[in-house]
């Protein structure tokens, strides 16, 4: 058994400059695509929602052009100020609003939702919003559509309810199965349009509105950071990217997960998120999985594994006009022999130089303790055996001078089935991939973006018919 603390990986920002924290990197250097011809220097924003929210939300976003002060002087690195978002600061872009691109959802129709059941009110709200969003998208005057979420809905689970759902589900089941919510239903309905959606709760911009039960509210600067980074990415921008040496192989990372349709009757289906170092991601839906009698988990037959990776690489090539030299597949369940054979044959068919297969476990039994009360440092790697490792992606963070979590952190498990790099190099990649999350501006994501996004995508796809065409761009799902 051996333990070591890995250095915090740097991300790449404007001018090729690096920093460990996305917010400080953006403030100092701007986004990674700063100065690029296709960088979104002006984002045309459409807005859909209740009349009493649209004005307030737009005013708050206009105010975010200017700096927002930090929350807490005791931890300036954990709660930094927001530098403002305009053409000369922050993300070096500006949000462009127009009354022509603003559509109100009728108050009478929204009030009627209060008389319906939870399920019916959610479905009716999605119908109301989808009609306005489709019409706005067809006019093709906006790059992004902001959705002011209706307050009448009761479709939000508390964290306690989510934990209860996870305990009650089958192995690798879907804790959201059977639970319809506005976010996932609306995203599924709008996958056919080009413009991504940004759904915003009133409590995000209105200090007088209480967040949903069981959910806290971040400080205003943090909310501004998270929302503007997400919108910049959805508009086609590259806030930051992974750093790569010119001598390293070009690599793409694939996260594979499984989902079951919301009716609960259809078979588990594989979904892959293919992701490159630049931050571009494409989504590919695979075939049906089978439940193994050995571990009661969904797995792919050799032919389906081959087809999934081959389709993923073909989609990647259409999007990026090239193929990577190395592919790393992350999976939340173990790799069986048929899957390994199928992925290997697909890699051979595409002449890949290297293929790594890594099972990442969610709950790792092994834990470390430090003297005193502080948890282990983020980046602590514990090697148990040559094929068993535990990595703390959460924990005490030197740059923040504190542990920013509320509960005792648990490491993720690394169980490689096939490697072309050392376990230490794989752990460094996982640390870096945990920071590629454009819904959160902090540096300490728990999961690599590959698996985190695969989970988000399957929450939306469970509402799609098996034969329905789906969007390939991850921005449509987040």
């Amino acid at each position: 058994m051996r333990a070591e603390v890995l250095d915090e990986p740097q991300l790449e920002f404007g001018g090729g400059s690096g920093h460990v924290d996305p917010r400080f990197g953006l403030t100092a250097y701007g986004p990674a695509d700063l100065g690029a011809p296709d960088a979104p220097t002006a984002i045309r924003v459409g807005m859909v929602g209740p009349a009493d929210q649209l004005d307030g939300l737009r005013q708050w976003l206009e105010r975010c052009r200017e700096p927002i002060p930090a929350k807490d002087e005791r931890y300036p690195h954990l709660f930094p100020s927001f530098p403002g978002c305009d053409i000369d600061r922050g993300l070096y872009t500006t949000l462009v609003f127009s009354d022509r691109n603003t559509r109100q959802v009728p108050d009478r129709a929204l009030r009627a939702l209060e008389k319906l059941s939870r399920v019916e009110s959610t479905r009716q709200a999605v119908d109301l919003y989808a009609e306005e969003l489709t019409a706005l998208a067809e006019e093709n005057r906006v790059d992004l559509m902001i959705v002011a979420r209706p307050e009448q809905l009761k479709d939000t689970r508390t964290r306690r309810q989510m934990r209860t759902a996870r305990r009650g589900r089958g192995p690798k089941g879907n804790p959201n199965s059977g639970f319809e919510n506005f976010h996932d239903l609306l995203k599924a309905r709008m996958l056919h349009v080009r413009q991504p959606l940004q759904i915003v709760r009133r409590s995000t911009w209105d200090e007088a509105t209480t967040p949903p039960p069981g959910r806290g509210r971040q400080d205003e600067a943090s909310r501004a950071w998270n929302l503007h980074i997400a919108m910049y990415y959805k508009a086609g921008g590259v806030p930051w990217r992974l750093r790569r040496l010119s001598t390293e192989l070009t690599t793409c990372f694939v996260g594979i997960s499984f989902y079951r349709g919301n009716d609960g009757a259809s078979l588990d289906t594989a979904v892959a998120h293919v992701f490159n170092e630049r931050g571009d991601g494409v989504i590919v839906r695979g075939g049906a999985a089978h439940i193994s009698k050995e571990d009661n988990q969904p797995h792919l037959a050799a032919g389906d594994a081959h087809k999934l990776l081959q389709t993923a690489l073909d989609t990647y090539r259409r999007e990026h006009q090239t193929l990577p030299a190395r592919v790393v597949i992350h999976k939340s369940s173990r790799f069986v022999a048929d899957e390994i054979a199928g992925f290997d044959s697909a890699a051979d068919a595409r002449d890949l130089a290297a293929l790594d297969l890594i099972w990442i476990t969610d709950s790792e039994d092994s834990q470390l303790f430090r003297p005193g009360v502080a948890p282990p440092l983020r980046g602590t790697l514990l090697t148990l055996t040559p094929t068993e490792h535990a990595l703390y992606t959460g924990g005490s963070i030197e740059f923040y001078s504190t542990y920013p979590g509320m509960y005792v952190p648990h490491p993720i498990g690394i169980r490689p089935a096939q490697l072309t790099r050392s376990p230490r190099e794989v752990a460094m990649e996982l640390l870096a991939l945990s920071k590629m999350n454009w819904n959160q501006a902090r540096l300490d994501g728990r999961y690599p973006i590959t698996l985190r996004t695969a989970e988000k995508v399957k929450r939306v796809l469970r509402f799609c018919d098996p034969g329905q065409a789906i969007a390939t761009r991850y921005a449509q799902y987040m």
Side-chain angles (χ1 to χ4, degrees), residues 53-128:
Q53 288 200 49
L54 293 177
D55 287 344
L57 175 55
R58 179 169 170 175
Q59 289 174 14
W60 185 74
L61 290 171
E62 295 275 13
R63 190 165 69 82
C64 287
R65 297 183 192 276
E66 301 299 325
I68 296 175
K71 166 193 174 181
D72 193 337
E73 294 182 355
R74 293 177 300 170
Y75 300 108
H77 286 176
L78 179 57
F79 301 110
S81 61
F82 179 65
C85 183
D86 214 331
I87 58 173
D88 59 350
R89 69 189 71 137
L91 290 158
Y92 290 82
T93 190
T94 184
L95 302 181
V96 180
F97 301 96
S98 169
D99 291 340
R100 292 181 64 197
N101 299 329
T102 301
R103 291 178 174 266
Q104 297 180 6
V105 178
D107 289 339
R108 181 185 297 274
L110 291 174
R111 288 196 301 270
L113 299 178
E114 300 173 357
K115 302 175 183 179
L116 302 176
S117 67
R118 179 187 61 78
V119 172
E120 287 302 318
S121 65
T122 301
R123 292 176 179 175
Q124 184 65 32
V126 168
D127 289 341
L128 291 170

Side-chain angles (χ1 to χ4, degrees), residues 213-407:
R215 300 197 176 204
R217 174 161 43 201
Q218 295 174 308
D219 62 287
E220 188 178 23
S222 294
R223 280 178 272 142
W225 271 118
N226 294 338
L227 182 58
H228 284 78
I229 288 171
M231 291 192 294
Y232 187 77
Y233 173 73
K234 290 180 180 182
V238 184
W240 56 83
R241 60 168 64 101
L242 297 176
R243 305 202 85 177
R244 182 177 69 87
L245 298 175
S246 59
T247 55
E248 292 180 338
L249 295 176
T250 56
T251 302
C252 86
F253 301 90
V254 181
I256 295 179
S257 188
F258 300 93
Y259 72 95
R260 180 165 294 183
N262 202 53
D263 57 8
S266 55
L267 294 175
D268 286 354
T269 304
V271 60
H273 176 221
V274 189
F275 178 91
N276 69 3
E277 294 129 322
R278 184 177 184 270
D280 296 324
V282 295
I283 306 301
V284 176
R285 181 165 55 185
H290 67 275
I291 303 298
S292 169
K293 294 181 180 179
E294 183 177 338
D295 61 4
N296 200 31
Q297 303 297 317
H299 293 286
L300 292 170
D304 290 326
H306 177 103
K307 184 177 180 181
L308 179 61
L309 181 54
Q310 195 170 58
T311 303
L313 290 172
D314 289 345
T315 304
Y316 181 96
R317 180 165 53 187
R318 284 196 302 271
E319 292 287 331
H320 306 300
Q321 289 78 51
T322 186
L323 278 178
R326 172 175 172 252
V327 170
V328 181
I329 298 180
H330 295 155
K331 199 161 158 282
S332 56
S333 59
R334 70 184 182 90
F335 288 86
V336 296
D338 277 358
E339 291 173 325
I340 295 173
F343 292 135
D344 273 335
S345 65
D348 291 340
R350 292 295 182 267
D351 294 323
L352 296 182
L355 174 67
D356 292 2
L357 306 176
I358 305 167
W359 168 25
I360 299 176
T361 68
D362 179 39
S363 54
E364 178 58 48
D365 293 333
S366 301
Q367 285 189 268
L368 289 173
F369 297 90
R370 297 170 63 198
V373 297
L377 290 167
R378 169 179 154 88
T380 300
L381 175 63
L382 175 64
T383 298
L384 303 167
T385 72
T387 58
E388 294 179 296
H389 312 270
L391 175 66
Y392 277 87
T393 51
S396 301
I397 299 174
E398 288 184 323
F399 184 69
Y400 293 160
S401 302
T402 187
Y403 168 55
M406 297 178 61
Y407 306 102

Side-chain angles (χ1 to χ4, degrees), residues 9-20:
Q10 287 199 343
L11 299 168
E12 184 177 308
F13 299 91
S17 300
H19 203 286
V20 297

Side-chain angles (χ1 to χ4, degrees), residues 124-157:
Q124 184 65 32
V126 168
D127 289 341
L128 291 170
Y129 276 74
E131 181 179 357
E132 298 295 341
L133 288 165
T134 300
L136 182 59
E138 289 175 348
E139 293 173 356
N140 202 30
R141 293 196 303 260
V142 299
D143 306 304
L144 170 75
M145 296 188 291
I146 296 179
V147 175
R149 189 185 188 279
E151 296 181 272
Q152 291 83 357
L153 300 181
K154 303 178 179 65
D155 67 328
T156 302
R157 281 181 169 179

